[in-house]
């Protein structure tokens, strides 16, 4: 029989999938992403389990809006305030991008706390997930540091005085406190060096570290799987036996050898 000629639809699909096939053949990345998205999870997980992905979405929103803001922001005391005013008042949708970044910072922290609460209530911090809990705690601390360093960047009165209070608080800490203040400020006063230092930490060092830790966090989530809620029989280790397998349909029903009546 003659083979059916591929239709226009098949040709188009093949053309559209070509870049993905190309990538898969050379890296196996497509298979990896498919494995991540379609991996098996317990049947009784709930909306609480979406909070980790919600935190990830908030982080991505912060990264994207932050990159856009960095295209127009100027980290010098003479120009910082004016560049922020320019973004908010003159640029198309600048107020929106800035607002998303500002409010998104709080959303990110709140979502991380909610996710952490879910993990705690479900006892998901216990063996073998302790390392993932520690990595999560590091991400949380770094997320809050992001907020602290970002707060100075508009270089207005609130930013300036809030940073003085924040730095002074940390300088009162035991042992490292007296060194921490000048190191954070880049000197004994808040000035151009402080702004440059905070900007570099806010948009390079901390986001890079957080992104790396999120990668590690997700690797461990995939490797260890997620836990069921504590009220599920599966989590208590006494899952109910399922219904017996249905007998095989057909002419002959299977039965142990010798048990069949003649
Ligand atoms: C940017 C921040 C974070 C992101 C993007 C993130 C992402 C995720 C995702 C996608 C999951 C799997 C689904 C789920 O349980 O929601 C997960 C699980 C987990 N996360 Fe996070 N997470 C973050 C912060 C944290 C924090 C702050 C902690 C705790 C201190 C934490 C501890 C854990 C643990 C122990 C699990 C395993 C949960 C289980 O097995 O049920 N994570 N995370």
């Amino acid at each position: 029989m003659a083979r059916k000629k591929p239709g226009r639809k098949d040709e188009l699909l093949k053309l559209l999938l070509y870049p993905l096939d190309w990538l898969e053949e050379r890296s196996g990345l497509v298979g990896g992403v498919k494995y991540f998205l379609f991996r098996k999870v317990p049947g009784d997980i709930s909306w609480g389990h979406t909070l980790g992905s919600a935190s990830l979405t908030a982080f991505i929103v912060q990264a994207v809006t932050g990159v856009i803001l960095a295209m127009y922001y100027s980290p010098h005391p003479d120009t910082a305030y004016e560049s922020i005013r320019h973004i908010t008042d003159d640029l198309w949708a600048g107020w929106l991008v800035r607002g998303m970044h500002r409010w998104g910072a709080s959303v990110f922290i709140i979502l991380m706390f909610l996710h952490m609460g879910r993990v705690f209530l479900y006892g998901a911090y216990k063996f073998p997930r302790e390392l993932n809990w520690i990595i999560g705690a590091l991400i949380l601390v770094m997320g809050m540091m992001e907020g602290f360093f970002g707060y100075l960047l508009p270089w207005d009165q609130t930013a300036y005085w809030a940073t003085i209070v924040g730095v002074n608080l940390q300088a009162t800490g035991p042992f490292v406190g007296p060194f921490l203040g000048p190191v954070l400020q880049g000197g004994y006063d808040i000035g151009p060096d402080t702004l440059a230092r905070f900007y570099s930490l806010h948009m390079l060092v901390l986001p890079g570290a957080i992104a790396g830790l999120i990668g590690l966090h997700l690797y461990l989530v995939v490797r260890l799987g997620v836990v069921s809620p504590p009220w599920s029989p599966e989590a208590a280790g006494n899952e109910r036996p399922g219904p017996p397998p249905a007998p095989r349909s057909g002419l002959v029903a299977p039965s142990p050898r010798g048990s069949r009546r003649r």
Side-chain angles (χ1 to χ4, degrees):
M1 207 171 69
R3 272 179 67 206
K4 207 180 136 208
K5 241 179 105 188
R8 273 174 83 90
K9 213 169 130 194
D10 298 326
E11 295 272 332
L12 193 68
L13 196 67
K14 211 172 142 197
L15 199 72
L16 283 177
L17 290 180
Y18 179 77
L20 283 184
D21 286 342
W22 189 93
L23 193 68
E24 174 64 2
E25 264 172 15
R26 282 153 188 85
S27 66
L29 267 178
V30 180
V33 172
K34 260 194 197 160
Y35 177 79
F36 176 68
L37 293 178
F38 297 103
R39 69 193 191 280
K40 285 208 166 24
V41 291
D44 46 12
I45 56 170
S46 62
W47 281 100
H49 281 83
T50 59
L51 289 166
S53 306
S55 313
L56 179 62
T57 310
F59 177 73
I60 294 171
V61 169
Q62 288 308 97
V64 172
T65 50
V67 166
I68 298 173
L69 290 174
M71 290 174 187
Y72 298 96
Y73 176 72
S74 162
H76 191 275
D78 297 341
T79 49
Y81 182 79
E82 172 52 26
S83 67
I84 292 275
R85 194 211 54 75
H86 174 61
I87 291 171
T88 318
D89 297 340
D90 306 337
L91 295 181
W92 182 81
W95 60 273
L96 181 64
V97 176
R98 185 181 169 211
M100 282 174 73
H101 197 75
R102 205 181 165 86
W103 288 95
S106 304
V107 172
F108 179 47
I109 303 286
I110 291 169
L111 283 173
M112 273 198 289
F113 267 109
L114 291 176
H115 169 57
M116 194 174 160
R118 198 286 293 166
V119 169
F120 181 73
L121 287 176
Y122 283 28
Y125 54 85
K126 294 179 196 162
F127 177 83
R129 297 181 179 79
E130 304 96 318
L131 181 60
N132 221 12
W133 174 268
I134 293 169
I135 293 173
L138 285 177
I139 299 176
L140 183 69
V141 171
M142 287 186 177
M144 291 195 284
M145 283 164 75
E146 272 287 53
F148 177 67
F149 291 122
Y151 205 77
L152 179 68
L153 303 184
W155 201 252
D156 53 14
Q157 287 290 322
T158 324
Y160 184 83
W161 294 106
T163 303
I164 291 202
V165 172
V167 170
N168 284 347
L169 270 176
Q170 291 172 68
T172 57
F175 309 116
V176 285
F179 305 101
L180 203 57
V183 169
L184 277 177
Q185 284 176 173
Y188 287 95
D189 290 311
I190 289 190
D193 289 348
T194 321
L195 192 55
R197 193 161 291 210
F198 274 37
Y199 185 50
S200 152
L201 288 167
H202 180 78
M203 58 92 74
L204 285 173
V205 181
L206 286 169
I210 293 177
L213 286 176
I214 289 179
L216 210 56
H217 194 69
L218 294 183
Y219 163 73
L220 287 178
V221 167
V222 174
R223 187 183 158 88
L224 303 172
V226 290
V227 298
S228 294
W231 54 85
S232 107
E234 211 174 303
N238 50 6
E239 47 271 62
R240 268 181 237 117
R248 206 186 316 150
S249 61
L251 286 177
V252 184
S255 53
R257 195 185 283 237
S259 68
R260 202 177 293 161
R261 270 201 250 136
R262 306 223 165 230

